[in-house]
Amino acid sequence: MEKLSNPQKTIEIIKKYEFCFQKKFGQNFLIDGHVLDKIIAGAGVTKDDMVLEIGPGIGTMTQYLAEAAGSVAAVEIDRNLLPILEETLADYDNVSVIHADVLSLDLNQLVQEKNGGRPIKVVANLPYYITTPIIMALFEQHVPIANITVMVQKEVAARMKAGPGTKDYGALSLAVQYYAEPYIVANVPCNCFMPRPNVDSAVIRLTKYDTPPVAVKDETLMFKIIRASFNQRRKTLVNGLYNSPELSFTKEQIADAIAKAGLPPSIRGEALTLEQFAELTDRLAEIQK
Ligand code: SAM
């Protein structure tokens, strides 16, 4: 079958099945073979890999993944796409399509069943409304993963990669960088999709660390501290942490921990590195005991 990355083929399939794009599912299908080649190469997919694709749509990227990977599990929420996928993936016997909302699937169980618990690769042109929840779920649920290579909104990719003191730096940067090393594979203009989204996109690869780059005594407390620091970006770190409903330290305790972590009293959260957040967390964890 001719590849769906040929826009004419995509149009033909959409007409044949009278498919209606659903905005609520973030349906913008790729129609550019060069971008697909870059994604597959960026993810480093080989025949040894099992790939989880989130949201195959009509199967455009799935066709490429099926050719490059050992096997592919593609999770699609929209039942109207199932008969289409049956046709567009008929040539491949290494793809299984799962009709589900990926956010409600037990992904550890899926990896156990499909790959004997060995690390998989995740590749997706993500529906943008689930970008952060799905990436954080993959990390926080400790799903065995080698890397995640995903198309996201360009500014979200920038936030994932940002370092301290930049406007893009925030809780998402730190959460992603605690678990993985980010690398921008490609920038993708809106004319590579049908229909065109009104923002530009980027492909980002997150290579998961075997162990996080910093050691911290209480991971949950660190992420509460990080969220509190960025919730009130313009405030000093002391005030940000003191005002957080998630934390219950006195101002003196916070000021003391900041000093013991070797930080100036008027520092803002946005200036702290991951290491410094870990150090501050350990100081505050002592008080909590
Ligand atoms: N992979 C295709 C491509 O690149 O052309 C389609 C990508 S499109 C941006 C996102 C896909 O994710 C759509 O097919 C949409 O129906 C599906 N989707 C949206 N929310 C989902 C969810 N919660 N679970 C699984 N699939 C979802």
Side-chain angles (χ1 to χ4, degrees):
M1 180 187 191
E2 198 179 341
K3 286 250 173 66
L4 293 156
S5 48
N6 174 349
Q8 288 316 316
K9 188 69 196 173
T10 286
I11 290 168
E12 184 194 310
I13 288 284
I14 280 167
K15 280 199 178 141
K16 178 172 167 189
Y17 287 88
E18 297 177 349
F19 177 75
C20 295
F21 289 93
Q22 296 218 54
K23 226 178 169 174
K24 69 170 180 192
F25 290 144
Q27 292 175 337
N28 300 96
F29 299 157
L30 267 166
I31 46 163
D32 187 310
H34 298 296
V35 172
L36 285 154
D37 286 334
K38 279 190 200 166
I39 295 172
I40 306 296
V45 176
T46 73
K47 284 287 168 195
D48 290 334
D49 292 319
M50 187 227 142
V51 172
L52 166 66
E53 185 189 8
I54 298 159
I58 58 172
T60 315
M61 193 194 291
T62 326
Q63 293 179 332
Y64 282 68
L65 289 169
E67 284 175 13
S71 64
V72 182
V75 180
E76 176 54 61
I77 198 170
D78 185 354
R79 107 177 30 252
N80 294 334
L81 290 164
L82 303 182
I84 303 184
L85 288 165
E86 226 164 90
E87 174 176 341
T88 59
L89 301 175
D91 290 347
Y92 307 100
D93 60 7
N94 59 346
V95 180
S96 51
V97 174
I98 299 163
H99 177 220
D101 175 348
V102 72
L103 292 173
S104 62
L105 270 189
D106 181 337
L107 294 165
N108 277 299
Q109 192 185 328
L110 183 84
V111 178
Q112 192 58 45
E113 279 168 16
K114 301 270 181 197
N115 208 36
R118 290 183 305 279
I120 61 158
K121 290 182 176 164
V122 178
V123 185
N125 170 14
L126 280 181
Y128 292 158
Y129 77 102
I130 63 165
T131 303
T132 305
I134 187 62
I135 290 177
M136 292 323 296
L138 287 165
F139 287 145
E140 285 169 359
Q141 291 167 21
H142 300 287
V143 180
I145 286 168
N147 64 36
I148 303 176
T149 306
V150 281
M151 179 88 69
V152 299
Q153 288 181 22
K154 200 174 168 181
E155 72 255 25
V156 175
R159 279 165 45 206
M160 289 182 188
K161 221 186 133 26
T166 62
K167 72 169 179 16
D168 290 327
Y169 190 54
L172 181 65
S173 325
L174 286 151
V176 163
Q177 292 167 32
Y178 179 69
Y179 292 105
E181 187 189 351
Y183 170 77
I184 307 276
V185 173
N187 288 314
V188 183
C190 56
N191 61 7
C192 297
F193 302 88
M194 184 187 298
R196 287 184 187 191
N198 36 27
V199 289
D200 283 336
S201 304
V203 178
I204 189 163
R205 180 184 65 219
L206 309 172
T207 305
K208 200 164 170 215
Y209 293 123
D210 290 334
T211 46
V214 299
V216 62
K217 290 194 184 112
D218 184 342
E219 219 175 85
T220 310
L221 177 62
M222 181 171 77
F223 284 111
K224 281 184 188 168
I225 290 172
I226 288 173
R227 276 195 298 276
S229 306
F230 289 97
N231 266 350
Q232 296 182 307
R233 252 190 123 89
R234 306 314 304 162
K235 292 238 158 82
T236 60
L237 184 58
V238 182
N239 285 329
L241 301 192
Y242 180 63
N243 293 336
S244 166
E246 279 195 287
L247 300 169
S248 51
F249 299 105
T250 65
K251 242 185 187 173
E252 291 68 35
Q253 287 172 328
I254 298 167
D256 187 45
I258 288 175
K260 285 190 174 138
L263 299 167
S266 61
I267 195 161
R268 290 201 181 135
E270 63 194 9
L272 266 66
T273 63
L274 181 58
E275 288 78 0
Q276 289 169 325
F277 272 114
E279 169 77 31
L280 179 64
T281 304
D282 285 353
R283 301 288 176 179
L284 284 167
E286 288 293 313
I287 298 167
Q288 237 182 9
K289 274 185 194 161

